[in-house]
Amino acid sequence: EALGNSYALVMEDVGGISLQQYTRTHALSLVEVLGIAIQMADILEAIFQHHIIHKDIKPANIIIEPKSKRIQLIDFSIASVLSQKTSQKAQSIQTPSGLEGTLAYLSPEQTGRMNRGIDYRTDFYSLGITLYELLTETLPFQATDPMELVHCHIAQMPPSPHEINPNLPAALSNIVLKLMAKNAEDRYQSVLGLKHDLTQCLHQWKETKTIANFELGEKDANGHFLIPEKLYGRQAEVKALLDAFDRVSQSTSHSVLELGLPSDSPSSEGTAQESNQPE
């Protein structure tokens, strides 16, 4: 709705409080956490169908109604509408203080330091950290320096949730870690796959109070056309560049030329050739 010179998002008041506030005074059972996770999957499915990514999923942006345990996702102030053609949003490098979102819950690609765009799978990562926090009562990365925290998201693996809380089933820990995979291609690729695994956990726990290990992502199928942001068929060229780098690091001089042909040539593939001439 228009509001003066800006806009306002009008949402239903369910009489709830943020999940962050709620968990300060109420311990969540495993059934309640799974119920929240399944509801979040339904919410993400609804916004993904409209090509929207939230980009700031965290307990402070999840509202829970204490009696019914119904939840809502709020604060779409930095949400993005993705192009239906690319299904991705470009992300530029910024200082940690200038990044969109909350640094503790930010996906590696959302930091702008992964040389790749962001898509709906960035919300899976943030949901993974949220569930990690709900299950262990701690964040996966404890760094306080912003640049160190960015490095943690990009390069460090957190302890498994069931290592911190031995009462957690390993299968549920594996779901959380799959959501938090560094590469978007290694996370869940669809809400359907995520919801299927969460529902299986909930049914097993209600029936037997245990959750047996099972193959994750059995019903996971990517309904989006996404071109992987990685090079294929360039192993020899990459090896030549890395070998040259290793030799340069040992105080020898090398120059590397990348040779290519016009795109309309019968063979347009480039090759890396090395010379011992000093630079």
Side-chain angles (χ1 to χ4, degrees):
E1 301 287 345
L3 182 66
N5 296 324
S6 186
Y7 294 92
L9 178 64
V10 181
M11 301 185 70
E12 176 188 5
D13 182 1
V14 296
I17 61 174
S18 76
L19 196 55
Q20 183 182 53
Q21 292 176 295
Y22 184 78
T23 53
R24 288 173 181 168
T25 55
H26 298 78
L28 293 174
S29 68
L30 193 63
V31 169
E32 289 173 329
V33 173
L34 285 169
I36 289 169
I38 291 171
Q39 288 186 75
M40 279 299 303
D42 288 333
I43 291 171
L44 290 180
E45 182 178 25
I47 67 173
F48 291 167
Q49 286 178 351
H50 291 84
H51 308 284
I52 293 171
I53 53 176
H54 187 275
K55 299 195 302 185
D56 199 18
I57 292 176
K58 57 183 179 180
N61 283 340
I62 298 173
I63 299 298
I64 183 170
E65 201 286 309
K67 291 184 178 179
S68 66
K69 300 300 188 295
R70 175 192 172 193
I71 67 167
Q72 280 186 317
L73 181 62
I74 64 169
D75 193 357
F76 284 74
S77 59
I78 63 170
S80 293
V81 179
L82 300 180
S83 165
Q84 296 187 35
K85 292 183 179 180
T86 63
S87 296
Q88 290 182 326
K89 178 181 182 293
Q91 183 75 351
S92 59
I93 294 179
Q94 299 183 43
T95 61
S97 61
L99 289 172
E100 287 186 325
T102 304
L103 196 51
Y105 302 85
L106 221 57
S107 71
E109 62 270 24
Q110 207 171 321
T111 66
R113 287 166 168 79
M114 289 285 287
N115 192 29
R116 64 179 298 159
I118 61 174
D119 56 41
Y120 67 97
R121 294 170 295 189
T122 190
D123 285 341
F124 282 155
Y125 185 91
S126 300
L127 176 60
I129 291 191
T130 297
L131 295 178
Y132 191 108
E133 185 177 13
L134 294 179
L135 292 168
T136 66
E137 298 183 356
T138 185
L139 287 167
F141 305 116
Q142 302 299 318
T144 55
D145 178 75
M147 284 306 300
E148 184 182 358
L149 190 51
V150 167
H151 172 76
C152 290
H153 284 306
I154 294 173
Q156 289 192 4
M157 290 301 298
S160 176
H162 77 272
E163 292 178 11
I164 298 176
N165 182 356
N167 295 322
L168 290 177
L172 184 54
S173 286
N174 293 337
I175 290 175
V176 173
L177 293 178
K178 184 175 178 66
L179 285 166
M180 292 174 55
K182 303 301 183 186
N183 293 316
E185 291 81 9
D186 297 327
R187 298 173 202 153
Y188 282 95
Q189 304 300 300
S190 69
V191 173
L192 177 64
L194 171 61
K195 188 175 178 181
H196 174 270
D197 289 353
L198 291 171
T199 302
Q200 189 167 338
C201 287
L202 182 60
H203 288 335
Q204 285 193 36
W205 185 259
K206 284 184 174 180
E207 291 179 3
T208 65
K209 293 300 179 183
T210 60
I211 301 175
N213 284 325
F214 58 92
E215 183 178 353
L216 301 184
E218 187 178 4
K219 299 294 184 180
D220 200 21
N222 191 347
H224 301 261
F225 178 68
L226 294 170
I227 300 174
E229 297 188 45
K230 59 188 294 186
L231 290 175
Y232 293 92
R234 289 293 182 270
Q235 290 83 358
E237 289 78 8
V238 171
K239 184 177 185 303
L241 292 170
L242 292 175
D243 289 346
F245 178 82
D246 288 339
R247 286 190 288 274
V248 168
S249 66
Q250 298 171 12
S251 302
T252 57
S253 298
H254 290 273
S255 62
V256 177
L257 303 178
E258 177 68 22
L259 305 181
L261 296 173
S263 59
D264 57 353
S265 171
S267 176
S268 59
E269 294 186 356
T271 59
Q273 295 189 358
E274 188 179 342
S275 170
N276 290 327
Q277 296 295 327
E279 292 186 318

